[in-house]
Amino acid sequence: MTQLPLQQSPEFHNAARALGWPVMRRVLGAREVNLIGRTTPFGRVTLLSRADPPLPEELRTIGGLILVNAETGPCHPGLMALRAPRQHALVELAPKGAMRAGLRQKWRNRLSAAERSRLSTTHGALPPNPDHWLLKAEAAQARRLRYAGWPPALSSAWAKVNRGEARLFEAQLGGRPIAGLVLLRHGPSATYQMSVTTPEGQRMNAMTLLLWRAMCWASKVGCHDLDLGHIDPANAGLTRFKTGTGARIRTLGPTLLWHRSLSALPLGRSHDTRGQAASPHV
């Protein structure tokens, strides 16, 4: 089974269609990709996310303005590199004992403390309910912290059309949830989609425990890797949390722009986009 990023998986296509998003699957060269297209007052804009940089002649079949959040680099001549490559934390899943041995010491200590605590955990399929407490809490958290990502509705749609592939992990104290995590499975891969914890959950390392449970589940069902998402250099605490799992840092490709008017210009550039801000790889 082919390993694909979340945005290029058939499961993403199914969930996006269920939400009524303008998503389509097209053949570019020798591969099939997911594209999201939208008509704006400035013309048609299409997003190709987490795919290898296509050749300009392949993009001509789509037309309009095309943004490519490239999976790899460098880009081909005729595409303009807009933003620097960004980095993701990727856990290579293995048997439980090997993964535990690969944890960083402080992360392992916090996990052990959480396992000895009064916390209890539950795990199961995420209910396809857009009003689930965790989805509402994630939306509120995104507004409060001013970050943008895939909306919580995507997880709800994933649960509805990809049955059993959206997984909910909860930590409870005295019968009430104090932390929650959603994992989305797509083929032999999984993506850490969202998480919310209360101050009490933070003190008790609830999220460390939930992520460990999620890693163990994904490994047990045959996933090869777990994408923990973007590494933000400005958020050292979150970076330490993700890399404490033993995750390796993988550099993706740059954000690229294509339009037929650019094709004749020598605009293609490689990864040498240092000094530019990281792009929102959605």
Side-chain angles (χ1 to χ4, degrees):
M1 191 178 294
T2 304
Q3 291 177 246
L4 294 170
L6 177 140
Q7 296 93 320
Q8 287 304 316
S9 67
E11 292 86 355
F12 177 87
H13 180 262
N14 296 341
R17 285 193 63 186
L19 289 170
W21 293 359
V23 63
M24 52 190 165
R25 285 185 72 78
R26 293 280 296 273
V27 175
L28 292 183
R31 62 196 186 281
E32 193 173 22
V33 298
N34 290 332
L35 297 157
I36 298 178
R38 188 178 299 277
T39 300
T40 74
F42 307 101
R44 184 166 182 80
V45 178
T46 302
L47 173 66
L48 173 58
S49 187
R50 295 290 302 272
D52 292 337
L55 295 168
E57 51 265 34
E58 296 172 344
L59 297 178
R60 287 183 182 276
T61 63
I62 301 170
L65 189 68
I66 302 174
L67 288 172
V68 181
N69 284 332
E71 181 71 0
T72 59
C75 65
H76 304 292
L79 286 85
M80 178 187 292
L82 295 179
R83 299 288 186 181
R86 88 185 222 160
Q87 296 180 317
H88 271 223
L90 194 70
V91 179
E92 295 179 354
L93 299 170
K96 184 176 180 179
M99 287 197 298
R100 186 127 189 167
L103 301 176
R104 293 190 179 178
Q105 187 63 51
K106 288 185 178 180
W107 209 96
R108 189 185 302 115
N109 291 345
R110 289 194 292 269
L111 173 60
S112 297
E115 289 173 329
R116 295 192 301 268
S117 73
R118 294 175 292 121
L119 287 176
S120 62
T121 62
T122 59
H123 160 241
L126 175 70
N129 174 13
D131 292 324
H132 189 277
W133 77 265
L134 181 57
L135 305 189
K136 295 173 73 172
E138 161 66 16
Q141 177 176 266
R143 289 191 299 269
R144 185 176 71 257
L145 300 180
R146 298 182 179 179
Y147 63 81
W150 295 113
L154 177 65
S155 295
S156 178
W158 202 287
K160 182 177 182 180
V161 300
N162 303 305
R163 293 194 178 276
E165 306 290 47
R167 312 302 299 185
L168 171 66
F169 297 81
E170 289 183 296
Q172 297 162 345
L173 185 65
R176 54 187 175 83
I178 62 171
L181 179 154
V182 170
L183 201 72
L184 300 182
R185 186 182 180 190
H186 40 102
S189 300
T191 294
Y192 174 87
Q193 184 66 6
M194 69 176 68
S195 63
V196 173
T197 185
T198 64
E200 193 170 29
Q202 290 178 331
R203 289 193 298 272
M204 300 186 71
N205 300 302
M207 197 53 62
T208 301
L209 182 59
L210 290 186
L211 182 52
W212 172 247
R213 296 275 193 261
M215 289 166 58
C216 293
W217 174 84
S219 175
K220 185 176 180 180
V221 299
C223 291
H224 299 158
D225 57 79
L226 171 59
D227 190 342
L228 299 183
H230 173 47
I231 291 294
D232 183 358
N235 192 335
L238 185 57
T239 296
R240 286 194 297 270
F241 175 70
K242 292 181 178 181
T243 57
T245 62
R248 64 182 175 89
I249 304 301
R250 180 167 181 259
T251 301
L252 305 182
T255 294
L256 309 170
L257 173 69
W258 182 89
H259 188 270
R260 68 181 62 191
S261 63
L262 301 176
S263 298
L265 302 177
L267 296 171
R269 286 182 278 172
S270 66
H271 282 170
D272 190 17
T273 49
R274 289 167 290 184
Q276 299 182 34
S279 65
H281 268 62
V282 293

